[in-house]
Amino acid sequence: MIDEKLTGVFAEVVRRNPGEPEFHQAVREVLESLGPVLAKNPDLAEYKVIERLCEPERQIIFRVPWQDDSGEIHINRAFRVEFNSALGPYKGGLRFHPSVNLGTIKFLGFEQTFKNALTGMPLGGAKGGADFDPKGRSENEIMRFCQSLMTELYRHLGEYTDVPAGDIGVGTREIGYLFGQYKRITNRYESGVLTGKGVEWSGALVRTEATGYGTVYFVREMLAARGETLDGKVCVVSGAGNVAVHAVEKLVELGAKVVACSDSTGFVVDEKGIDIELLKTVKLHERGRLCDYAERRPDAVYRDRGSVWEVPCDVALPCATQNELTGRDAATLLRNGCIAVAEGANMPTTPEAARMFQEAGIAFGPGKAANAGGVATSALEMQQNASRDSWSFEYTEARLAEIMARIHETCFMTAEEYGAPGNYVVGANIASFLKVSRAMVALGLV
Ligand code: NDP
């Protein structure tokens, strides 16, 4: 429930941003936690901090014309929503997916502002992307699209201004083409302008793995707080992209058994435990489908109907996309004895499902805390770029693990302080809100 002092703020967000249900959902989830904060900090209401936080500082929408291999011209629409720069330069990924619209990018930018604050790094919040579908496009088409997009976007970027990274549909390959075009237009090798770069050309080790690994580290902390470990736990992960595959990898490394994962066309159940090398080959290198995985693994079963959440598990990690885990899925997971859920994706759990997990008292890690390892490692990449240094895998991963433990601790302690012990949603929302809002007050009315 939204505190009565904030119902007017939320009504205004809905009125000013019509037809953007995901943005409304993300704002509502944060506002629902903030009642007790306003009671303790009445000056924040006076400074209209919440109203300012709900309005992006800048929204950029532009046309991206490009030509396919047969010479046909296509027009896409791209966005960059620079949400909040109170704590540092705008920072957040770019998403290429046909479903992308302004509301999607706003919800992601809003979430990103709080997530980045939780990392403790000097990062503002932003998000961007385009309604471009990379599926089935050739290398040259992807390159031409990235070059056309950057031809407009470059003027809004800079290592002290706005620093994009990857997200759905944007990995190291796309970041490479985007960086190449930025360099060409500006005549500057400005490494810190993008993160998620290839390790051969000023990228950082562990950035690729960081979001998935970090999510698993967060689960490890949540379980430890309850006297449990990952050893022997049966896990289900949704998605089979960057976040999901690296979550599977780290779960297996820490002694868990992953029995299922999914992609946009179906899911695979592998009772013997997902073969991580085969999964990487099929999904990351060949850019294939999970049915190809099942064909090469005699005991695995591929299903194109039903939900991956029907597979019984102790730990569930939604790592695909927003609102993919519904109230019905939550009921199934709880019935099957699931004890922990952590959001590797952004807002993958519907409000109803999130409420059910919290009411059931299982460990539930919201995305802005659980998947913050990606952006935190981006900040480590920026540090290495600024100092012309490059750190080892082991050192960087140890930093990531430390950061995830600190984020867990912050959420845990804040939830206790505000009378909601064990509720990481409340802890993450309040801790990050206080961090951003104090900076906003200190910087004056800007
Ligand atoms: P990828 O594009 O690498 O992978 C996305 C995966 O999710 C793919 O397996 C894709 O299926 C599947 N998927 C996408 N859309 C849908 C859909 N509508 N229904 C079912 N499955 C779908 O993206 P990432 O792994 O980078 O991102 C996944 C999530 O993690 C997103 O919510 C993103 O915002 C979040 N995130 C990512 C970070 C990062 O560092 N990359 C950082 C923090 C959060 P298919 O293989 O068939 O395309």
Side-chain angles (χ1 to χ4, degrees):
M1 283 281 286
I2 297 184
D3 186 280
E4 60 178 19
K5 289 191 282 302
L6 291 171
T7 51
V9 176
F10 183 65
E12 194 59 6
V13 167
V14 173
R15 189 189 69 77
R16 284 164 65 84
N17 301 277
E20 297 178 357
E22 291 157 339
F23 180 49
H24 305 162
Q25 183 182 333
V27 171
R28 171 181 271 282
E29 192 239 5
V30 171
L31 296 192
E32 281 179 348
S33 301
L34 296 187
V37 184
L38 284 193
K40 274 197 188 178
N41 304 274
D43 60 313
L44 296 179
E46 189 190 323
Y47 289 119
K48 296 249 162 90
V49 169
I50 299 180
E51 289 87 334
R52 282 195 271 154
L53 261 167
C54 293
E55 183 70 22
E57 289 176 12
R58 189 176 296 111
Q59 304 181 56
I60 302 147
I61 306 181
F62 55 100
R63 181 175 72 195
V64 185
W66 60 282
Q67 243 174 335
D68 69 20
D69 289 343
S70 69
E72 192 186 335
I73 290 173
H74 299 263
I75 309 295
N76 282 98
R77 184 177 292 170
F79 308 87
R80 186 72 180 164
V81 175
E82 297 178 334
F83 227 102
N84 195 293
S85 59
L87 290 173
Y90 304 111
K91 181 87 195 88
L94 295 172
R95 176 177 291 191
F96 291 172
H97 193 272
S99 67
V100 163
N101 58 41
L102 182 60
T104 326
I105 300 299
K106 264 196 214 165
F107 117 66
L108 289 163
F110 182 78
E111 284 278 296
Q112 194 81 44
T113 300
F114 297 100
K115 179 188 314 194
N116 293 3
L118 273 182
T119 65
M121 312 290 209
L123 301 169
K127 200 80 186 190
D131 60 357
F132 169 70
D133 189 355
K135 282 215 171 74
R137 290 294 170 194
S138 70
E139 283 282 328
N140 276 329
E141 289 171 332
I142 301 276
M143 181 175 74
R144 283 197 293 274
F145 179 79
C146 290
Q147 290 175 339
S148 179
L149 182 135
M150 189 51 96
T151 302
E152 171 59 32
L153 188 62
Y154 87 95
R155 71 191 78 242
H156 305 287
L157 307 183
E159 63 179 315
Y160 299 110
T161 310
D162 186 349
V163 182
D167 192 79
I168 292 179
V170 178
T172 312
R173 173 181 67 172
E174 291 74 17
I175 294 291
Y177 296 142
L178 291 164
F179 185 77
Q181 184 72 353
Y182 182 87
K183 182 171 77 63
R184 186 177 192 193
I185 295 173
T186 61
N187 194 28
R188 281 165 63 84
Y189 203 107
E190 193 183 330
S191 308
V193 76
L194 287 166
T195 60
K197 300 181 291 292
V199 287
E200 309 84 4
W201 52 276
S202 73
L205 290 167
V206 190
R207 176 58 190 93
T208 307
E209 298 83 357
T211 308
Y213 281 17
T215 303
V216 175
Y217 285 132
F218 195 84
V219 174
R220 182 171 71 172
E221 298 295 326
M222 290 199 300
L223 290 177
R226 293 164 177 243
E228 295 263 10
T229 71
L230 271 167
D231 197 33
K233 294 285 182 303
V234 175
C235 306
V236 169
V237 176
S238 67
N242 175 275
V243 179
V245 166
H246 295 106
V248 171
E249 183 169 60
K250 187 52 70 182
L251 283 168
V252 173
E253 221 177 285
L254 295 181
K257 183 177 177 192
V258 185
V259 293
C261 65
S262 62
D263 64 13
S264 56
T265 44
F267 63 100
V268 70
V269 184
D270 191 341
E271 293 293 351
K272 288 200 169 144
I274 296 283
D275 176 339
I276 182 66
E277 289 313 320
L278 180 58
L279 182 66
K280 278 185 172 177
T281 302
V282 171
K283 289 301 301 186
L284 300 187
H285 305 142
E286 296 174 0
R287 297 177 189 269
R289 320 295 322 153
L290 280 177
C291 48
D292 305 330
Y293 173 99
E295 267 174 27
R296 293 186 223 170
R297 186 88 174 151
D299 295 316
V301 180
Y302 176 75
R303 300 201 187 128
D304 58 7
R305 274 159 208 260
S307 158
V308 72
W309 307 121
E310 289 159 12
V311 182
C313 64
D314 303 309
V315 175
L317 302 188
C319 297
T321 194
Q322 62 270 15
N323 290 325
E324 50 154 319
L325 195 164
T326 64
R328 196 172 148 180
D329 299 323
T332 309
L333 284 166
L334 290 170
R335 199 167 49 243
N336 287 338
C338 178
I339 58 165
V341 177
E343 296 185 323
N346 285 311
M347 211 168 74
T349 310
T350 64
E352 185 192 12
R355 203 161 36 246
M356 288 165 71
F357 292 141
Q358 288 166 71
E359 281 169 11
I362 69 163
F364 175 62
K368 57 173 81 66
N371 71 39
V375 72
T377 309
S378 277
L380 301 183
E381 182 174 337
M382 291 159 78
Q383 279 183 36
Q384 290 167 79
N385 292 151
S387 59
R388 304 281 189 269
D389 201 356
S390 79
W391 306 342
S392 70
F393 197 96
E394 293 70 25
Y395 175 75
T396 316
E397 195 186 350
R399 294 277 313 262
L400 168 65
E402 245 173 60
I403 292 167
M404 295 315 295
R406 203 170 58 223
I407 294 173
H408 174 271
E409 168 94 358
T410 302
C411 299
F412 189 86
M413 300 305 282
T414 309
E416 292 234 320
E417 186 187 336
Y418 281 85
N423 189 322
Y424 294 97
V425 174
V426 169
N429 285 341
I430 294 182
S432 55
F433 168 74
L434 283 173
K435 179 122 205 231
V436 184
S437 53
R438 282 183 187 134
M440 288 172 72
V441 171
L443 298 186
L445 188 57
V446 288

